[in-house]
Every structure is written in C-alpha cells, then in structure tokens.
Amino acid sequence: MRKLIFAVTTALAVGLITPVTATATTPQDDVKAFQQYFYDKFPNVKKGDFKDGVYAINEDFRAQWLNSEEFPPYEESITKGEKMFNTPFANGKTYADCLPNGGKAIRQMYPYFDTAAGEIKTLEGEINACRKANNEDPLKYKKGPITDLTAYIAYNSRGKVFNVGVPNDERALAAYEQGKKQFYMKRGQLNLACADCHVTNAGGYARSDLLSPALGNLSHFPVYRLKWQELGTAHRRFGGCNENIRAKAFPPQSDEYKSLEYFLTVMSKGIEANGPATRK
Amino acid sequence: MKIRLLSSAASVVALLSVITSPVAFSAAHGDMIAEGKRIAFDRKLGNCLTCHVIAGGQAAGNLGPPLIAMKARFPDKNVLRSQIWDSTVKNPATPMPPFGRHNILTEKQIDLVTEYILTL
C-alpha cells in the first residue's frame, strides 16, 4: 500500500499526469488506499481519532491540547457567529433562507461538486453567494467574520460524518483529479509536495513540528492557531504551507485550493466533523 | 560569482594564507568548516536541521537520517556534494530540497557545507 501511494507521488512529481482513463484509479479506490495507508502507518491510532490531526498521533501533545480545550480560545467566535447567523440582512432574509437544512449541521456537506453549476461549492463560497443574492457585501475569505460564521456552523455540525463523493460527471472527475494533482505535485523552491509532509512523512518531525496525517486534515476547520491568535480558513492554512516551501500561495477560493479541499475531503470519508479546533 | 564569495576581508586573508603556508592552511580550513556549519544551520539557508540530527544542532527533525560518520559513508566527496546539489537524482521522491538545482544555496555555499558535513 505504501508503495502504491509512493508510485502515485512519483508519477505526478515528474509530470506524468494522465487524464482519467480506463486504467486510472477511481476516487473510491483512492479513498480505500489512502485511508489504509494511514491505518497501517499508525496501527495504534483509533480510526475515529484521525479527526484530531497531530493530537491523534502523540499522547503528550494530546494531553496538553485536551487541557487547553477546557477554555477554548474560539468560544467567543462561535458566539459572534451565532449572532451573525441570526441577524437578518437589510432585506429581512437570513442565511437560513439560502443554506440547506436552514444552515444547521451542514459543515460535513462541504465542499461538494454541484453538477447543475458544474463547479465545486465550498461553505465559504456559499455564504458569500447568499450575501450577494441578498445585496450584502461579500466577506473576506481567510479570516475575520467569515470564520466566526463557519465556526458557529462547524460547532453545530459536530459529530456529523463527512461523506463527500465524486458524482459520475466528467467535470467533477476533472476537479477531483486537479485536487489530487495539487496534493501530490512537488512545488516551490524547496521542491516539496503536500504529500511529502502529510503522507510520506506524516508522524515525522520537521524541526520540532510533528507532521499531521492528511487523513482528517480538514475535519475541524476553521482552526484557531496560537500562531495567528485568531481563526483561519483551510485556504489560509494551505497558503501558509505553500509559502513555507517557498511556493507562491494561490488566492483563497481559487480553483487550485477549492480542488485541493475537495480532494482532501473526499479522502476523509467517514471522519467526523469536529470544528472549530485549536492548533499550534 | 567568485567576487561575491570573497565578500569579507577575513576570507581574502584566509585564501591568501592557503597559498602561502601549511600552518595557515589548517586555520583557513577551520574557517571554511565554521562557515559551512553556519550555512547548514541557518534557517534561511541550508536549514538542514529541519530534517537531520546534526551534532551541536538544536531542535532537529527526523525526516532524513542523522548525519554521522560521513567520511566513512562518503569516501568520495563528489558523491556527497551531488546529494546536496540535487538529491532528486538518487531518489526523485525525496523530500530533501535540491539545494543547487533550485538555487537555494550558491555553488560556493554548497562547497562549504560539503566540507563541514564531511567532518561529522
């Protein structure tokens, strides 16, 4: 299994990316191989714990983290988000009028491929689409009010399970393949792929940073990082990881990051939503 | 390139001494080693400690093997230099950055790092 993923990494690294063909692996095959790789690599980690990132794979860090969860620094944001959610727009409508299920317990549905629109829909994108439809200014995509709102939505979605698939649609498969490519492709002056750190070397230390497994990497977003002293979206984090390897970050909600988020979420089928969360 | 290398008066003196006396040679070599170590440890340059345990380095990572007994394992200096210049030749999937091919370090900096690593 390890070999298999390695082979994928290498092929993509040297640019032998082929379009989906009869012989290509299906997303379902990929999910199985991807998850099994981590189960084999971390035989002592309970499958349900991968949602906790680095705190799933190190007892000491986990204990410290659980301690800090008694007074989580994101609490205030959840309260602000709830207020935002319940405050009607100028025209009297609310987010509940646009979002599925009245906006409750929906975090685990995102991102998904919308076959009618022919594109990936993210939770942040849908929030701004809702604002636009109601003549409100869009929110910035990396931090600030948008993360208050998604923190509130994530919080009331805790325990729901991710089950995002790839519909049988050429455009959906293409978006999936783009995300997969983004994930395995070496980039930047330091020539590193996301997969180098979060697959091949997950569980290893880069300096004193323990590298989290890619499985469950996004289940808990938005994340309050002690380094940021505030919440950030997944796309903000992607940008940080890209800049660390001296690659230019893509803008939040770019096709590149949407597809990356899509790929990682498809891979995390069965993982529980547990956001927001605190990280170093 | 050559001109930029001799940026400090000290290195000019060191280099001249190499040519003139064997005693000064070891002093100059010592300077090279010290400079190689500085480059290897500098977070903005080699930052080798991200992945390798190296004697004297703090908070090292473990993505690569500890750098020890290098002379025994790399009797040919060029093989070591090539590993640092472009680690992907030997292993295309390696996480180790290609320090020469991607211009992360200059040729001279790679020479100095190579000298230093060989002392480990």
Side-chain angles (χ1 to χ4, degrees), chain A residues 203-245:
Chain A
Y205 285 86
R207 288 272 182 175
S208 40
D209 288 327
L210 180 59
L211 297 170
S212 61
L215 178 58
N217 244 182
L218 300 182
S219 59
H220 50 282
F221 273 83
V223 158
Y224 185 100
R225 276 192 82 188
L226 300 177
K227 186 182 153 191
W228 294 335
Q229 291 287 307
E230 60 183 4
L231 285 160
T233 57
H235 293 201
R236 181 180 183 188
R237 180 51 125 143
F238 293 170
C241 280
N242 271 161
E243 279 163 5
N244 283 345
I245 57 165

Side-chain angles (χ1 to χ4, degrees), chain A residues 6 9-10 13-14 186 188-192 196-197 200-201 203-208 211 246, chain B residues 41 43-44 47 49-50 58-63 88 92-95 97-98 101-104:
Chain A
F6 215 60
T9 316
T10 315
V14 295
K186 284 189 176 280
Q189 192 184 29
L190 299 188
N191 203 45
L192 285 159
D196 285 335
C197 288
T200 321
N201 288 295
Y205 285 86
R207 288 272 182 175
S208 40
L211 297 170
R246 302 185 194 162
Chain B
F41 281 25
R43 282 177 188 265
K44 296 213 167 77
N47 201 11
L49 290 166
T50 298
Q58 303 292 316
N62 66 1
L63 308 189
T88 68
T94 185
R101 181 164 65 83
H102 274 201
N103 298 310
I104 301 165

Side-chain angles (χ1 to χ4, degrees), chain A residues 81-210:
Chain A
E82 180 170 15
K83 194 158 165 241
M84 271 176 84
F85 187 85
N86 291 324
T87 307
F89 302 125
N91 67 3
K93 299 253 175 159
T94 64
Y95 289 109
D97 295 322
C98 312
L99 297 169
N101 197 34
K104 289 275 155 66
I106 57 169
R107 170 65 183 89
Q108 74 289 349
M109 295 162 60
Y110 295 91
Y112 70 97
F113 193 88
D114 178 347
T115 44
E119 61 180 21
I120 295 169
K121 295 283 165 100
T122 62
L123 180 55
E124 289 82 359
E126 291 293 79
I127 285 170
N128 270 345
C130 178
R131 294 181 64 88
K132 197 174 160 200
N134 290 292
N135 302 315
E136 299 283 332
D137 288 338
L139 302 174
K140 293 222 166 103
Y141 277 125
K142 287 210 285 203
K143 57 182 179 184
I146 204 156
T147 54
D148 293 336
L149 201 51
T150 56
Y152 168 65
I153 293 173
Y155 188 68
N156 68 44
S157 309
R158 280 189 177 182
K160 298 282 175 202
V161 171
F162 283 92
N163 186 17
V164 172
V166 182
N168 195 4
D169 175 305
E170 239 173 69
R171 298 161 304 172
L173 274 167
Y176 170 82
E177 289 295 328
Q178 186 192 8
K180 184 169 160 184
K181 178 180 131 188
Q182 287 296 323
F183 186 73
Y184 289 104
M185 182 175 63
K186 284 189 176 280
R187 292 193 61 219
Q189 192 184 29
L190 299 188
N191 203 45
L192 285 159
C194 312
D196 285 335
C197 288
H198 296 294
V199 178
T200 321
N201 288 295
Y205 285 86
R207 288 272 182 175
S208 40
D209 288 327
L210 180 59

Side-chain angles (χ1 to χ4, degrees), chain B residues 13-24:
Chain B
V13 173
L15 217 87
L16 290 177
S17 342
V18 172
I19 306 160
T20 51
S21 93
V23 176

Side-chain angles (χ1 to χ4, degrees), chain B residues 78-101:
Chain B
N78 289 325
V79 175
L80 176 61
R81 195 184 188 282
S82 311
Q83 169 71 27
I84 301 170
W85 198 86
D86 186 0
S87 48
T88 68
V89 171
K90 220 170 123 193
N91 173 12
T94 185
M96 178 159 156
F99 289 95
R101 181 164 65 83

